[in-house]
Amino acid sequence: MEPVEAGQKPLVLEESADHDVRMDGIATSIRPKRVGIKEVASLAGVSWKTVSNVVNDRPHVRPAMREKVLAAIAELGYRPNLAGRQLRQGSSMTIVLAIPEITSPYFGKLAEHVITSAESRGYTVLIEAYGEDPTREGRVLEGYQNRLIDGIIYSAQNVSPEAVKARQDPTPMVLLGERILDSGLPHVAINNNRSARELVSHLASRGRTRLAFLGDRPDVGESVAGLRLEGFQEGLLENELTFDQHLVMGVQRYSRDEGEMAALRLLNSGVPFDSVVCASDILSVGVLRAFRRRGIRVPQDVSIVGWDDIPEAEFGAPSLTSISPDIAALAEASLEQLLTVMDGRKLENVEMEIGYTLKVRESSF
Amino acid sequence: MEPVEAGQKPLVLEESADHDVRMDGIATSIRPKRVGIKEVASLAGVSWKTVSNVVNDRPHVRPAMREKVLAAIAELGYRPNLAGRQLRQGSSMTIVLAIPEITSPYFGKLAEHVITSAESRGYTVLIEAYGEDPTREGRVLEGYQNRLIDGIIYSAQNVSPEAVKARQDPTPMVLLGERILDSGLPHVAINNNRSARELVSHLASRGRTRLAFLGDRPDVGESVAGLRLEGFQEGLLENELTFDQHLVMGVQRYSRDEGEMAALRLLNSGVPFDSVVCASDILSVGVLRAFRRRGIRVPQDVSIVGWDDIPEAEFGAPSLTSISPDIAALAEASLEQLLTVMDGRKLENVEMEIGYTLKVRESSF
DNA sequence: TGGTGAACTTCTAACGTTAGAAAGAATCCA
DNA sequence: TGGATTCTTTCTAACGTTAGAAGTTCACCA
């Protein structure tokens, strides 16, 4: 293994340094050595220590010196080597955002916001789209010990509360969306119960009486879907509507396909209904397609409402009524919580609630 | 800064290490110090050098020793500290995937594939969604010198070919989608010209004669849109149709909104057309909405076709005819190219073409 | 002109890992 | 038992950064 390494690595350097190689017979093998603090120092004509002081904003550096050093830094394009810095300081300024998938519009948007928020604080975000691979989701709880990260924002999906509570890893962690009771981990989410009741009230105010709930996750304990289903039932009570267990449809996953399949099951069951509450808009998209194929008109025959307010909800035909969480606030708050824990500061609230708005669109007019 | 660190870090550690703290009066302040190679060595009763040899698979380690060391590693949950390793070896096993945005279905999917492919080879992927921030896109070309990365897969959007050619940074880079001529950089993409001609032929075979092209990027030199427009024009020639410059609509960005706005401009221009070729499906979604609002039926009045085959293309109403690139192959090939360059091996093809299929759906029936 | 700081340099050490060299210990075979 | 061979340890150095300590230079002011 070693001779291979020794034989190949230089090739890279030589190749990419082609333009720098002088053919004048003397300085042939000038390889573009990474500029370090010493190169900066010698160009600026100061000691490396002064450069370090400038870079780290330490006292006792005169403006003139600082200028000189900054100029040298700019000229050489010097950036402190993260590995060296990490090794010295023990922090990598990197956090992980663990989500089920990046492809879903909701998580994609969330990731985008977390990344920009983190960046403005000097942090880099590593995205772990763990999908349905239990190994990968397990690694989230183990804290990526081989990856040099400072904290984790974890949007759990299929993990058991026990696994979270049994977590050994000391890496600071914040839960997003999913709440794991008694885990002691900070948690950021919208109020699932209240938003579910609002959706039900909205439908009731439109004269709907037979409401279906699509997107339960019966296998998953304490899931977001569970909280929403609870709120759904409470909402029915509040509006003096009856709850029918036959109108609750579970799914394996939140995807368009699963939504379509669940809608077909619902139709085939023969139990009458006049509206569908989907635990996520991505399910609604599939439901719409199923209805369209069966000739069921939305919203004339059936209303559809959901959560997440994904772009498709706005642009689809019909457009979808949805609970629109303030994703930017969600990202900001979870990052804030995480940084608080990472700094060892005291959290003001372990539970944090994020605002949302109900966007009424064509699908429930 | 330092006293703060010293005063706060332990708080975190103590908090999460509660269960480890013995209250027997003697060993009170056991902090879960990160296990290093030395801890493993002393537990296994060998020298740290032997541990290193085991970890790095070097010769001259007897099976018995190896077992002992591996057991100690397992017991302590030791993972080599990446920072130390990086510093020593100069490689971070991390690559950057630079894309305009993660939220778009196409790039989201692509990112997902690149991440899993890279992971199977032991690499971590850092996603840089540079958006419309020129600073961030610029950083791509500068090679993230502060981040210790080994390579870059760059899906360029708004960068000038000059900027790419002027690139100084030696970090291995592969271009994805966008081709920059004469940059010498390896390039992976579908055949934009041929796929465009196929779309045109498809529409012509359906009796369409007045084809609009939506999604040109006139400000960007050598863009994917440009190549597709070229193919579009050649396709018109092949099918003996006339090209009308008034039916070419530019956009600032590939988004649903921009698609909608461009479609409205097209309608307002009054120039007749019976089909729209969109440079990206995400534009088609906006076009559909514009048409719907104006009462234009798809495909009865106008056909719509495009590229990328995003999920919305399949699930929308109507579903969209689209060129479906083999995204998995795209990800795999670009990674393969990048690793080849990183290893200093010779590339077989600097240009690499990826397969695609034309999916005919409702929007062009 | 001497004194006093501030500004700057030099020196040392450390973070965790890896690699070569050299020296020491164990094992094997004759 | 001797010598050769394989295994293991010890020693040294390096990657790039940061921080303290101690020493040097310089400018300013009394």
Side-chain angles (χ1 to χ4, degrees), chain A residues 186-202:
Chain A
H187 174 242
V188 181
I190 67 168
N191 188 322
N192 286 302
N193 186 287
R194 184 152 58 82
S195 53
R197 295 193 328 252
E198 253 175 68
L199 282 177
V200 173
S201 295
H202 164 68

Side-chain angles (χ1 to χ4, degrees), chain A residues 165-233:
Chain A
K165 288 175 207 153
R167 193 173 99 101
Q168 293 285 323
D169 184 73
T171 313
M173 178 181 272
V174 167
L175 293 174
L176 203 155
E178 203 82 19
R179 173 177 48 184
I180 311 283
L181 293 168
D182 309 326
S183 65
L185 294 172
H187 174 242
V188 181
I190 67 168
N191 188 322
N192 286 302
N193 186 287
R194 184 152 58 82
S195 53
R197 295 193 328 252
E198 253 175 68
L199 282 177
V200 173
S201 295
H202 164 68
L203 290 170
S205 76
R206 292 288 197 273
R208 303 295 179 173
T209 55
R210 300 220 26 102
L211 279 58
F213 185 92
L214 194 149
D216 188 26
R217 303 291 301 277
D219 310 338
V220 186
E222 298 188 47
S223 67
V224 168
L227 294 172
R228 290 178 181 174
L229 178 54
E230 254 176 60
F232 172 80
Q233 293 179 271

